[in-house]
Amino acid sequence: MLLPLNCTAVVRVALPLWVGALGAAPAFASMQERVLEVPVSTTSASGEPVQGEIAVTIFSDPNNPVPAPVLVLNHGRSPQAEGRKQLHRARFAKQARYFVARGFIVAVPTRLGYGPEFAKDAEQSGGCKHKRYAPALNAAALQINAVLRAVRAHRRDASPDRAVIAGQSFGGAAAVAAAAQNPEGVQAIINFAGGAGGNPRTHTMQPCDPQQLASVFTELGAKSQLPMLWMYARNDQYFGASWPAKWHAAFEKEGGKAQFVQLPAFGKDGHELFRAGLPQWEPTVSRFLDDNGFTAPVADAAAERNQLRARK
């Protein structure tokens, strides 16, 4: 059961960091990267209030049509504390470039409990035998939706009513949880290898208490009918091949709407599909975005995608 929590966001400042040329693509000449500092407050899975200022990396192209739709792109959760601590600032620059070429302003938050805000962990769901997935995902979802509001408040070029929420691993499951909070002006959700409780070092392909997570997905499916795309690879070392399909079935049991795509084995660990397999997932994601009203801002979208692949 998801807990009713409070979360606030106030825009502080955007800092210009970098502008890089992206080649001769007809739709854009450059991709800009900036940082938006967003104060958030939420409640941890254990019921404690947590607050802090999170860094949100924002990618955009000034040559894209405006107002531009916003895509909030969410990172996962390392099973190791050291991995969470070492996350300086989430970027996903290569993947963001694809979405910017599709016309989006891309916002990548580094949530509480990671990098500079490592000590303020709002998403700790407990030990493997005592998981509490619902409040942990809810804590992440509140931050995601706060970031969407903050980007819209700060950016004059951001659309107030067109957005997509996406995420990888725990961030993918959190994107599904964010949809259950009924954020305004969101039309679609993309879940890359979404789940929780996986650890390939200690229990390969066997996540902790996966049936509990299935129950959580059932509750989430009852609360949102936004169209979704769920993408996995068969050799996901965190979640395996069967549990993602079961989670999807649980999500649709009470009315959730999600296209489930399980690609063949990818490399040594299919959990890396989003990070390292853009050519594999791009065609499916592009079709999903097209079908939900987010067509690329170019006359020849196929040529644009070919240029993106050529730069890899």
Side-chain angles (χ1 to χ4, degrees):
M1 179 177 181
L2 293 178
L3 303 178
L5 308 179
N6 295 320
C7 185
T8 61
V10 180
V11 177
R12 293 284 179 84
V13 64
L15 303 176
L17 293 184
W18 172 85
V19 177
L22 296 183
F28 54 85
S30 64
M31 185 169 76
Q32 296 180 342
E33 178 177 350
R34 290 180 168 84
V35 174
L36 184 68
E37 300 290 343
V38 180
V40 295
S41 60
T42 185
T43 302
S44 71
S46 61
E48 298 295 323
V50 184
Q51 60 185 4
E53 191 170 79
I54 63 174
V56 182
T57 308
I58 298 182
F59 296 98
S60 63
D61 181 353
N63 297 303
N64 276 343
V66 295
V70 178
L71 185 137
V72 184
L73 181 57
N74 301 284
H75 63 76
R77 180 179 179 86
S78 172
Q80 288 77 40
E82 193 62 24
R84 300 192 296 275
K85 187 175 184 179
Q86 290 178 353
L87 180 60
H88 173 65
R89 174 167 57 85
R91 293 179 70 244
F92 290 126
K94 180 169 66 175
Q95 297 79 7
R97 179 178 285 120
Y98 159 76
F99 289 112
V100 169
R102 298 279 314 191
F104 288 96
I105 295 170
V106 178
V108 188
T110 305
R111 302 186 305 276
L112 297 173
Y114 307 84
E117 296 296 322
F118 168 76
K120 302 173 182 179
D121 192 352
E123 300 172 11
Q124 176 58 254
S125 59
C128 196
K129 295 182 179 180
H130 305 283
K131 286 294 185 184
R132 299 180 68 243
Y133 287 129
L137 289 170
N138 200 43
L142 284 164
Q143 296 174 75
I144 292 168
N145 287 330
V147 166
L148 175 59
R149 293 192 297 271
V151 172
R152 285 172 165 166
H154 177 76
R155 303 273 309 210
R156 294 181 179 179
D157 54 347
S159 171
D161 56 9
R162 298 183 67 231
V164 173
I165 299 175
Q168 189 268 342
S169 192
F170 188 89
V176 177
Q181 295 176 1
N182 297 311
E184 293 185 10
V186 174
Q187 285 75 41
I189 306 293
I190 306 176
N191 162 20
F192 293 97
N199 189 338
R201 294 186 184 180
T202 57
H203 39 94
T204 305
M205 295 189 173
Q206 296 295 328
C208 301
D209 200 353
Q211 190 57 56
Q212 180 193 153
L213 191 55
S215 297
V216 172
F217 277 129
T218 297
E219 294 181 13
L220 295 174
K223 294 180 179 180
S224 175
Q225 279 69 55
L226 287 177
M228 300 190 186
L229 173 64
W230 291 23
M231 293 197 71
Y232 296 80
R234 288 193 59 81
N235 64 329
D236 188 308
Q237 300 299 294
Y238 282 71
F239 307 133
S242 62
W243 277 111
K246 292 177 182 177
W247 293 336
H248 173 258
F251 179 76
E252 291 202 322
K253 181 180 179 181
E254 295 295 329
K257 300 176 182 179
Q259 176 189 357
F260 181 78
V261 176
Q262 190 171 66
L263 297 178
F266 175 78
K268 294 181 179 180
D269 182 2
H271 203 67
E272 293 294 304
L273 177 68
F274 176 67
R275 185 187 66 81
L278 191 152
Q280 283 73 29
W281 56 255
E282 178 272 327
T284 301
V285 171
S286 291
R287 286 192 296 271
F288 176 76
L289 292 172
D290 288 343
D291 291 344
N292 286 281
F294 296 97
T295 55
V298 292
D300 187 354
E304 173 62 26
R305 291 195 294 270
N306 289 336
Q307 290 182 28
L308 281 168
R309 293 193 187 101
R311 286 194 291 272
K312 304 305 170 187

